[in-house]
């Protein structure tokens, strides 16, 4: 399809550019099957409760495997809590490195992010395999993830073709919420049974906002929100995620961590994104979302 052909070249070029610069400030160690890269530590103090775009309190690490790249709190083995999971699908021709800043941001907030390494993620096969892999690592006493992964709270997200994959994976009973970013059209949201935040870009000329609204309009059986980021094109989320960092973090904190402040960004009469016209050119909540109280998303 045309949108796939148009997307491949820019994402592939950007991936190469980011690969060239990714080594700066990292320490790496290779094994037979993985490369583990420790990212620069984040500040040890937590961000303000309502500043979801600020770095979180966790230093982060990256593990590149054959099927999945993991972004996670670096000291997870010594953590006093279990960490929720976000599975991620790339846009056509993309790799996790293209979205590195967003993945590290989520990891700094306390999530284990499992990003599928495939540039063709639409079927969601690798995303589901990531959950299986983390289930095994969580049960492995020799793993840094042993008993530190919250497999009861898993979200699915992705960009473009990967956004469609997040909708596809949303039918998996292990998924608790989905957050497709500018999702391509090859998905059926009628099979999803969990809350959804569907994000579009006001100036996206590859996945037009109308295509994302079509998913929102079809999602009348689940609590669903539509958010159109003002001025964003199809590649605004790539590299520095800019205006996508805070709302995506808040959504996952609300649904996977029970963060009530984050929930108030989307639910209840004080809905934060509903009045933030600087960030959003269009925000919609369906009737089921309107009935969700802010304190219990």
């Amino acid at each position: 399809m045309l949108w796939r052909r148009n997307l491949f070249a820019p994402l592939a070029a950007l991936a190469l550019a980011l690969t060239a610069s990714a080594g700066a400030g990292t320490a790496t160690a290779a094994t037979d099957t993985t490369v583990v890269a420790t990212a620069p530590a984040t500040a040890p103090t937590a961000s303000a409760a309502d500043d979801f775009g600020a770095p979180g309190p966790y230093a982060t690490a990256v593990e590149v495997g054959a099927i999945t790249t993991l972004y996670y709190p670096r000291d997870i083995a010594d953590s006093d809590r279990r960490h929720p999971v976000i599975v991620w699908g790339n846009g056509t021709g993309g790799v996790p490195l293209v979205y590195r800043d967003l993945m590290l941001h989520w990891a700094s907030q306390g999530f284990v992010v499992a990003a599928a390494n495939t540039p063709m993620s639409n079927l969601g096969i690798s995303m589901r395999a990531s959950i299986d892999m983390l289930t095994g690592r969580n049960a492995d006493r020799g793993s840094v993830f042993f008993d530190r992964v919250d497999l009861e709270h898993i979200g699915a997200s992705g960009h473009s073709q990967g956004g469609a994959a997040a909708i596809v994976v949303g039918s998996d009973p292990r998924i608790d919420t989905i957050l497709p970013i500018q999702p391509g059209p090859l998905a059926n949201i009628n099979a999803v049974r969990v809350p959804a935040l569907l994000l579009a870009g006001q100036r996206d000329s590859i996945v037009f906002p109308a295509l994302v609204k079509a998913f929102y309009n079809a999602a009348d059986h689940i609590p669903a929100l539509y958010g159109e980021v003002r001025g964003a094109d199809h590649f605004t989320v790539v590299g520095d995620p800019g205006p996508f960092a805070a709302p995506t973090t808040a959504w996952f904190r609300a649904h996977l961590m029970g963060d009530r402040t984050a929930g108030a960004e989307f639910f209840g009469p004080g809905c934060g994104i509903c009045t933030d016209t600087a960030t959003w050119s269009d925000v919609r909540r369906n009737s089921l979302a309107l009935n969700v109280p802010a304190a219990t998303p």
Side-chain angles (χ1 to χ4, degrees):
M1 296 179 68
L2 181 60
W3 67 273
R4 289 184 173 180
R5 293 197 298 270
N6 288 344
L7 183 57
F8 179 83
L11 281 183
L14 183 57
L16 290 173
L18 288 175
T19 300
S21 62
T26 64
T28 61
T31 68
D32 289 340
T33 57
T34 63
V35 175
V36 179
T38 303
T42 56
T45 56
S47 59
D50 59 349
D51 187 2
F52 302 107
Y58 295 94
T60 57
V62 183
E63 179 183 317
V64 183
I67 297 175
T68 306
T69 297
L70 295 174
Y71 301 83
Y72 58 95
R74 186 175 64 191
D75 298 324
I76 192 169
D78 300 318
S79 178
D80 60 357
R81 53 172 292 190
R82 293 183 178 90
H83 295 264
V85 176
I86 302 171
V87 293
W88 173 266
N90 308 302
T92 305
V95 294
L97 183 61
V98 170
Y99 306 97
R100 179 178 183 270
D101 288 359
L102 181 59
M103 306 294 101
L104 289 174
H105 180 74
W106 288 342
S108 80
Q109 291 280 340
F111 296 98
V112 176
V113 184
N117 288 340
T118 176
M120 302 296 287
S121 57
N122 209 141
L123 295 178
I125 296 171
S126 296
M127 294 167 72
R128 296 178 196 268
S130 298
I131 302 175
D132 297 336
M133 179 269 291
L134 281 173
T135 300
R137 299 284 290 275
N138 187 61
D140 179 2
R141 290 183 176 274
S143 169
V144 297
F145 296 99
F146 174 65
D147 199 33
R148 295 299 87 193
V149 183
D150 183 359
L151 296 166
E152 298 300 314
H153 295 93
I154 303 175
S157 187
H159 174 234
S160 196
Q161 183 182 155
I167 296 173
V168 171
V169 173
S171 65
D172 190 305
R174 297 173 293 183
I175 298 295
D176 296 289
T177 186
I178 63 171
L179 198 165
I181 300 172
Q182 296 160 302
L186 302 181
N188 179 11
I189 204 165
N190 291 321
V192 176
R193 292 292 179 269
V194 295
L197 173 60
L198 297 139
L199 296 185
Q202 184 187 23
R203 297 180 180 173
D204 192 339
S205 59
I206 295 175
V207 175
F208 298 107
L211 296 174
V212 185
K213 287 177 187 174
F215 280 125
Y216 167 77
N217 291 333
D220 55 2
H221 59 295
I222 56 174
L225 287 77
Y226 169 82
E228 186 178 287
V229 179
R230 184 175 297 281
D233 63 25
H234 197 67
F235 300 103
T236 298
V237 72
V238 172
D240 179 354
F244 288 91
T248 57
T249 299
W251 181 263
F252 283 129
R253 286 190 63 89
H255 288 85
L256 305 182
M257 293 180 174
D259 186 327
R260 295 186 176 189
T261 301
E265 288 293 298
F266 310 98
F267 301 105
C271 167
I273 68 169
C274 299
T275 56
D276 181 7
T277 56
T279 303
W280 306 96
S281 50
D282 191 359
V283 172
R284 305 182 185 196
R285 300 187 291 173
N286 69 8
S287 59
L288 293 177
L290 288 171
N291 288 329
V292 176
T296 54

